[in-house]
Amino acid sequence: MKILVTGSAGFIGFHVVKKLIEKGYEIIGLDNINDYYDIGLKYARLSQLGLEEDKIIYNKLINNNIHSYYRFIKLNLEDTENILRLFKTEKFQIVIHLAAQAGVRFSLENPGKYISSNIEGFMNIIEGCRYYNINHLIYASSSSVYGLNEKFPFSTHDNVDHPISLYAASKKANELIAHSYSHLFNIPSTGLRFFTVYGPWGRPDMALFHFTKSILENNPINIFNNGLMERDFTYIDDIVNGILLIMEKPATPNKSWNGLKPDPDSSIAPYKIYNIGKGNPVKLMDFIEAIEKELGIVAIKNFLPLQPGDVIKTWADTTELIKDFNYQPKTDIQEGVKQFIRWYLSYYNLKQ
């Protein structure tokens, strides 16, 4: 079985590829290694899988790493010609599409990047799936699509027509595009709404990374909405295990779906949406306390108002994922924070 993993130099993509390698799948990783955050971290992730920066060639598949069944290509999602050529040449069975322009706050200042990467890029990927007979498309959506919803926990059966950031809107657009292609071209597609993923090799713009760095450097941490925030923090290993459970079971039509009472999370097409999270919201101040405890340092706190585009609370209803795949996230916040900080201190060669 040959699998394409986009965003393979990114946080989640790296961990997915690592697990797939352990399982013995044939994998092609794709990433453009942009400078949204430190590209050194991205190359370091690739290095963990045997790929060194000086061996990565733009638009060329390479196979000079330590795993004979893992190859990598540096390529932009927006490069329609080469994306379609890749699909034609490699004949993938499964596509795990994780590449995207990330970040809610960044979307306020750089909206064009979200249109080109998250919408145009997604179109190129799903066009490849259309023309080259993909068995299953799995793609990253986001808990941010819930936007102004205040009914908790967030359920995939609820309407999500009120996003409050362009990032969220682009992810909702992906879900709509996926449904239309599933309906028109019978492409099995599964969208995963990720809930605040964290862990080793995480992104520097994410809360855990930023807080840890600032606390260690004795700099204040900005705490928005005066700390009255909750997030359904989900450890990376639980996310990866969920993706692997889903991967080989393509979405199928819901035979009981009713157009008079349309359920948003499924369809008469082979289309399905899942929340993938811990299912247990954690107060931001409790999260910060776990970091302080692990570091043995009390943070300097700068309390600020709510930022535009931020939601106050996320909480995943994972009932569907549990029912269909027996999904059981296992890592609590204390263990997850501990594993991240161990990695952080080792990666940056810091003593604690």
Side-chain angles (χ1 to χ4, degrees):
M1 183 177 293
K2 188 183 290 186
I3 302 170
L4 172 66
V5 180
T6 72
S8 60
F11 171 37
I12 300 176
F14 157 72
H15 283 280
V16 168
V17 168
K18 187 172 183 290
K19 181 62 72 171
L20 290 173
I21 287 172
E22 292 172 5
K23 297 286 187 181
Y25 290 100
E26 183 179 359
I27 310 142
I28 289 177
L30 181 152
D31 204 292
N32 69 351
I33 314 182
N34 67 25
D35 62 358
Y36 170 63
Y37 62 84
D38 177 21
I39 64 170
L41 178 58
K42 298 181 181 183
Y43 281 118
R45 293 180 185 130
L46 293 175
S47 179
Q48 290 290 303
L49 304 176
L51 294 170
E52 301 299 335
E53 182 175 352
D54 60 357
K55 296 177 182 176
I56 295 173
I57 306 170
Y58 189 76
N59 281 9
K60 299 288 185 182
L61 281 170
I62 62 170
N63 195 26
N64 53 351
N65 64 357
I66 58 177
H67 307 289
S68 61
Y69 34 79
Y70 174 51
R71 291 176 290 155
F72 178 81
I73 183 169
K74 184 179 178 185
L75 183 64
N76 284 317
L77 293 175
E78 302 92 320
D79 187 341
T80 305
E81 181 180 353
N82 280 309
I83 290 290
L84 293 179
R85 181 180 293 130
L86 181 67
F87 273 83
K88 181 179 181 180
T89 302
E90 297 298 330
K91 298 178 173 59
F92 304 110
Q93 281 82 51
I94 294 174
V95 173
I96 303 175
H97 179 53
L98 303 171
Q101 178 57 60
V104 169
R105 291 159 196 159
F106 190 69
S107 70
L108 301 177
E109 300 174 0
N110 300 274
K113 291 183 180 294
Y114 291 78
I115 302 301
S116 58
S117 179
N118 297 8
I119 297 180
E120 293 177 17
F122 186 82
M123 278 298 302
N124 286 336
I125 293 297
I126 205 165
E127 279 281 277
C129 295
R130 169 191 177 185
Y131 286 111
Y132 298 105
N133 300 315
I134 300 302
N135 294 341
H136 192 189
L137 167 64
I138 301 166
Y139 62 95
S141 186
S142 169
S143 62
S144 65
V145 301
Y146 289 101
L148 293 176
N149 287 24
E150 294 182 1
K151 175 178 168 288
F152 297 105
F154 290 147
S155 171
T156 55
H157 299 291
D158 295 335
N159 178 284
V160 288
D161 285 342
H162 300 89
I164 57 173
S165 70
L166 184 61
Y167 171 71
S170 72
K171 290 299 186 178
K172 171 64 175 175
N174 288 171
E175 295 179 4
L176 295 172
I177 292 166
H179 181 266
S180 64
Y181 270 64
S182 293
H183 178 71
L184 291 170
F185 308 114
N186 201 38
I187 300 169
S189 70
T190 302
L192 300 178
R193 293 175 179 167
F194 294 125
F195 278 71
T196 318
V197 188
Y198 74 101
W201 297 98
R203 298 201 324 256
D205 63 321
M206 299 178 78
L208 178 54
F209 201 116
H210 174 70
F211 288 161
T212 300
K213 181 176 187 295
S214 296
I215 292 169
L216 285 169
E217 294 175 354
N218 202 36
N219 291 325
I221 61 173
N222 290 332
I223 303 175
F224 295 98
N225 200 40
N226 296 304
L228 301 175
M229 308 273 276
E230 295 182 50
R231 290 290 181 269
D232 197 340
F233 292 102
T234 314
Y235 191 66
I236 183 62
D237 289 358
D238 293 324
I239 290 288
V240 173
N241 290 336
I243 291 172
L244 265 65
L245 285 172
I246 293 162
M247 185 180 72
E248 293 192 54
K249 186 179 177 183
T252 57
N254 179 358
K255 294 180 181 179
S256 63
W257 193 86
N258 184 348
L260 294 175
K261 295 181 179 179
D263 188 340
D265 85 338
S266 62
S267 174
I268 56 172
Y271 168 90
K272 184 66 176 174
I273 297 290
Y274 292 103
N275 287 333
I276 183 165
K278 185 71 166 63
N280 180 28
V282 174
K283 293 178 180 179
L284 180 59
M285 298 308 297
D286 291 343
F287 184 64
I288 292 169
E289 183 179 333
I291 302 169
E292 292 174 321
K293 181 179 178 181
E294 191 62 34
L295 290 174
I297 304 171
V298 176
I300 303 168
K301 302 175 181 70
N302 182 27
F303 291 95
L304 296 169
L306 186 68
Q307 289 192 116
D310 269 355
V311 295
I312 294 174
K313 180 178 180 177
T314 64
W315 180 4
D317 180 345
T318 57
T319 302
E320 293 292 317
L321 202 55
I322 294 168
K323 180 185 73 175
D324 292 349
F325 297 97
N326 194 29
Y327 170 72
Q328 298 292 338
K330 298 177 180 179
T331 310
D332 63 30
I333 204 73
Q334 288 75 25
E335 179 64 22
V337 166
K338 179 171 74 173
Q339 292 302 323
F340 171 82
I341 289 175
R342 283 183 177 177
W343 166 80
Y344 186 95
L345 296 174
S346 173
Y347 179 74
Y348 289 103
N349 196 26
L350 300 172
K351 293 182 179 180
Q352 185 65 20

